[in-house]
């Protein structure tokens, strides 16, 4: 086999490999575009806008009291308006929020941490490509 034929065979194998490969992991990942707070008096919503329906795990930590939401197969968009440093929310039920990208072995993980301003109930749900975390303070305004 001559050098030209060998190069053509190698090129063909690369093309076949690319055609047989699913879309890149980045295209398949959810990507956090923004994190914002919506204040409605005793209730505060933290809205995490992504590009796909989120898959997530939620847990609560104490001292200080906060809720952690881990979004699987998710990265942070370069333009996301939240970072690892907490952002002051300062509503009746929420003190601060932070969002950051974490690497867990070979997969991407985004973590959103919301600090309580006072004892509150919380609810977490996916709404299309949004993750909505709703906090309702036990004390009235």
């Amino acid at each position: 086999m001559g050098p030209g034929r060998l190069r053509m065979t190698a090129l063909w194998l690369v093309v076949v490999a690319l055609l047989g490969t699913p879309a890149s992991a980045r295209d398949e990942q959810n990507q956090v575009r923004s994190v914002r707070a919506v204040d409605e008096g005793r209730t505060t919503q933290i809205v995490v806008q992504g590009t796909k329906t989120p898959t997530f795990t939620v847990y609560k930590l104490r001292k200080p009291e906060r809720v952690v939401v881990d979004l699987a197969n998710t990265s942070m968009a370069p333009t996301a308006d939240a970072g690892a440093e907490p952002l002051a929310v300062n509503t009746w039920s929420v003190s601060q929020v932070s969002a950051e990208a974490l690497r867990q072995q070979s997969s991407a993980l985004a973590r959103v941490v919301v600090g309580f301003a006072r004892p509150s109930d919380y609810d977490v749900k996916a709404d299309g490509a949004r993750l909505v975390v709703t906090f309702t303070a036990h004390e009235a305004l």
Side-chain angles (χ1 to χ4, degrees):
M1 187 182 290
R5 189 154 176 87
L6 187 58
R7 259 182 281 173
M8 186 63 141
T9 302
L11 178 61
W12 178 248
L13 289 174
V14 169
V15 170
V16 169
L18 289 174
L19 290 175
T21 302
S24 74
R26 172 167 269 167
D27 292 340
E28 294 173 5
Q29 282 185 355
N30 185 16
Q31 194 172 56
V32 172
R33 300 287 180 166
S34 66
V35 179
R36 63 186 172 89
V38 178
D39 182 18
E40 297 177 0
R42 204 174 113 186
T43 301
T44 300
Q45 288 186 331
I46 302 299
V47 180
V48 180
Q49 182 64 55
T51 56
K52 300 186 182 295
T53 302
T55 301
F56 58 92
T57 303
V58 181
Y59 52 97
K60 185 176 178 181
L61 299 173
R62 300 196 185 281
K63 296 183 183 181
E65 194 168 29
R66 61 210 182 278
V67 169
V68 179
V69 183
D70 287 339
L71 295 107
N73 197 31
T74 302
S75 61
M76 298 294 291
T79 58
D81 50 359
E85 291 298 314
L87 300 172
V89 175
N90 296 326
T91 65
W92 188 248
S93 53
V94 173
S95 61
Q96 61 188 16
V97 63
S98 66
E100 65 180 311
L102 305 173
R103 295 295 294 169
Q104 206 175 42
Q105 294 177 15
S106 63
S107 64
L109 178 78
R111 175 168 288 163
V112 177
V113 180
V114 185
F116 287 75
R118 59 192 25 83
S120 301
D121 292 323
Y122 66 93
D123 179 58
V124 184
K125 66 179 178 181
D127 179 19
R130 298 182 326 152
L131 176 80
V132 180
V133 187
T134 304
F135 292 86
T136 305
H138 295 171
E139 299 174 24
L141 281 169

